[in-house]
Amino acid sequence: MRSDQIRQGRLAGERSGDLEHFLASMDADRWIARADLLVDMAHLLGLSRQGIIDEAPARALMAALLDLYDHGLPEEAFDERFEDVHAGKEAYLIDRVGEDFGGRLHMGRSRNDEVATCIRIRLKEEILALVRSLADLRATLLDVAAGHTETVMPGFTHLQHAQPTTLAHYLLAYEQAFSRDTARLREAYARVDASPLGSAAFASTGFPLDRAYTATLLGFSRPAGNSMDAVAARDFAIEVLSDASICMATASRLCEELVLWSTAFVGFVRLDDAYCSSSSIMPQKKNPDVAEIMRAKAGSVAGSLTAAITITKGLPMSYNRDLQELTVHLWRGVEAARQSIPLLSGMFGSATFDTERMAAEAGRGFSTATELADVLVRDYGLPFRTAHRIVGRAVRHGSLDLATLDAAAREAADLSVMELGLTREKIDAVLDPRHAVSVRSIVGGPAPVAVAIQIDEQKELLARDAAWAEETDSALSSAFEDLILEARRFAA
């Protein structure tokens, strides 16, 4: 295969291997190699449809492109002397069909709009894969929650026992966070779904291209509206990395709690051995390594986001080579998220929970004190701040029994809760964690009746999200299949 044909006009001299390596984007280009062939075929069909290229070179080029699509790009197309796979592939085509034919594919097109289109194609596929993985994770959380609507456990603020809740209520909190991640990715997909092809370097082209036609061939809903923005914009990539970072931050929080819960001094959960490792020296160890690595992956994705923002923040319009470096971080961040979410679903779905241990901890640390204060308000007419002060004073004295509460009331508010009618039996009932949970039955609360409603609502939302992912993926796949079919007809 020849040397980089793009340099043969304006530039002279040879580059060192270090310089070629510095400039090359081949590692990132492997992500878009298949998409690049689809873009080539769509562009070629567009050139032919508009009468820009003659039949003979068009058919020869299409046959060569289909062969590459069927058998894969040769490794030499990724040689760093070509800087990128686009130049390497063009060199292959010129070698195969001659420059008189092979040199015509690039009419009306720049590498700028070519690579921007490839990135958007691949990113749409990655978004759909991540949405499907999130749907599986959400389904797992909802299924586990449905089996634990009455599993009482402690809720925490500041990592201290705060109020009783249920395992279902806890899981629904994470499921709703992941449902918002899904919504953000769906919204981002709509903004990625615009084809830059035909924008050329940035000022479009004098060739009469039909951009709407090639956009449809490639499964886009529309062509990008401004040719300069089409090649220069990477805010769509930053948006997806931001969405992935938010998603991974939530995943990291869940992993952190699984790590804590699996310790001997908490003991709420037992992780499946498949998601754990042992020690090379301590034979008793069972370490939650998958959860720990996933916490770190959240940092990696956030780092990719920071890098992408920093790369673009000082770039003038329109295209600058700096954007090549952004692509590396885009794929790195998206891949980390896409790999993590299915593992989180499997780790959680295979975990077992010690419900007895959870129940035993549910009332520890005076966690039902809030309900006792609420009862003083609801049943005995005290202002909440007065009730709060009385119960807080009793906790300071170390007990919530009737005598201590009455003494605390006299100290803090110059009244007697016994004279108001408070009894030991009432206190015992109120301080039961199950009671504290059951009375919190308003929308969003932990009571079983409220949780059941939340589960039903989230299942409906999940079904809509899963259907969108399935329909959108099917439409995209159908567009690619139709493109290949049309290309084969054309080359026949």
Side-chain angles (χ1 to χ4, degrees), residues 22-346:
F22 183 81
L23 290 168
S25 62
M26 291 306 185
D27 288 342
D29 286 351
R30 292 183 185 276
W31 281 82
I32 59 172
R34 172 179 166 274
D36 198 26
L37 291 170
L38 295 173
V39 170
D40 282 347
M41 286 185 263
H43 182 62
L44 184 55
L45 288 171
L47 292 176
S48 177
R49 186 171 185 261
Q50 298 300 106
I52 300 169
I53 189 171
D54 293 335
E55 182 175 342
R59 289 185 182 277
L61 279 166
M62 190 64 81
L65 288 170
L66 286 167
D67 183 62
L68 289 175
Y69 182 83
D70 292 336
H71 300 100
L73 284 169
E75 191 60 30
E76 195 173 0
F78 295 96
D79 193 294
E80 290 183 346
R81 69 178 181 271
F82 295 112
E83 292 190 7
D84 56 42
V85 71
H86 317 292
K89 171 176 49 64
E90 186 179 7
Y92 169 85
L93 292 172
I94 290 172
D95 271 0
R96 176 160 173 170
V97 302
E99 184 163 328
D100 188 45
F101 284 4
R104 298 177 186 274
L105 179 59
H106 222 59
M107 289 188 294
R109 188 179 70 176
S110 164
R111 281 187 295 186
N112 296 356
D113 62 330
E114 181 182 2
V115 70
T117 306
C118 294
I119 289 171
R120 286 177 183 256
I121 288 172
R122 281 294 290 117
L123 192 53
K124 289 202 301 179
E125 293 175 327
E126 290 296 322
I127 290 172
L128 290 171
L130 188 51
V131 167
R132 288 196 300 270
S133 295
L134 281 168
D136 291 340
L137 173 58
R138 290 164 60 193
T140 298
L141 291 170
L142 289 171
D143 288 344
V144 177
H148 290 282
T149 59
E150 297 189 16
T151 299
V152 177
M153 63 171 285
F156 301 91
T157 62
H158 308 278
L159 266 184
Q160 299 186 60
H161 289 66
Q163 291 178 291
T165 185
T166 64
L167 181 56
H169 190 241
Y170 163 87
L171 297 180
L172 285 170
Y174 277 105
E175 192 281 329
Q176 293 200 2
F178 288 123
S179 74
R180 293 192 296 274
D181 293 323
T182 303
R184 279 185 282 267
L185 287 165
R186 287 186 59 174
E187 292 166 5
Y189 186 94
R191 284 182 278 276
V192 176
D193 192 24
S195 173
L197 192 60
S199 299
F202 73 88
S204 80
T205 176
F207 291 100
L209 300 178
D210 186 343
R211 293 189 60 212
Y213 171 69
T214 54
T216 300
L217 286 177
L218 291 168
F220 287 100
S221 63
R222 64 198 184 281
N226 179 281
S227 61
M228 183 178 290
D229 177 63
V231 301
R234 290 299 185 272
D235 57 331
F236 67 90
I238 293 172
E239 181 178 7
V240 174
L241 280 172
S242 177
D243 295 343
S245 296
I246 295 169
C247 176
M248 286 300 294
T250 302
S252 181
R253 294 181 71 177
L254 181 51
C255 286
E256 170 71 7
E257 295 198 276
L258 289 175
V259 170
L260 290 173
W261 287 13
S262 65
T263 59
F265 54 82
V266 177
F268 285 178
V269 69
R270 288 184 292 275
L271 299 176
D272 188 276
D273 286 357
Y275 297 91
C276 300
S277 299
S278 190
S279 166
S280 62
I281 187 172
M282 296 171 283
Q284 84 282 6
K285 292 300 297 294
K286 179 179 176 179
N287 302 322
D289 284 15
V290 171
E292 291 174 345
I293 291 175
M294 206 173 296
R295 285 186 309 195
K297 291 288 186 182
S300 297
V301 179
S304 294
L305 170 62
T306 302
I309 292 173
T310 305
I311 287 168
T312 58
K313 73 173 182 63
L315 295 186
M317 284 290 179
S318 58
Y319 181 81
N320 298 271
R321 189 69 178 270
D322 311 52
L323 295 178
Q324 173 179 301
E325 190 70 11
L326 183 149
T327 307
V328 177
H329 295 288
L330 174 62
W331 301 136
R332 184 179 298 153
V334 169
E335 182 182 34
R338 182 173 47 78
Q339 288 178 343
S340 297
I341 298 304
L343 294 178
L344 182 56
S345 180

Side-chain angles (χ1 to χ4, degrees), residues 382-462:
L382 295 182
F384 177 75
R385 192 52 60 202
T386 302
H388 183 280
R389 189 164 61 250
I390 291 170
V391 175
R393 183 68 60 87
V395 169
R396 186 198 301 180
H397 292 325
S399 176
L400 290 178
D401 61 27
L402 182 57
T404 306
L405 275 167
D406 196 66
R410 293 180 186 279
E411 292 175 14
D414 195 26
L415 60 85
S416 168
V417 291
M418 287 192 287
E419 291 178 2
L420 292 175
L422 186 64
T423 65
R424 181 175 59 81
E425 291 75 19
K426 182 77 168 180
I427 293 172
D428 290 343
V430 168
L431 295 182
D432 184 346
R434 295 186 183 278
H435 169 82
V437 167
S438 67
V439 298
R440 283 159 170 75
S441 58
I442 63 173
V443 172
V449 62
V451 164
I453 293 172
Q454 293 175 56
I455 290 173
D456 289 342
E457 290 175 346
Q458 292 305 114
K459 282 185 175 180
E460 290 179 7
L461 177 57
L462 173 58

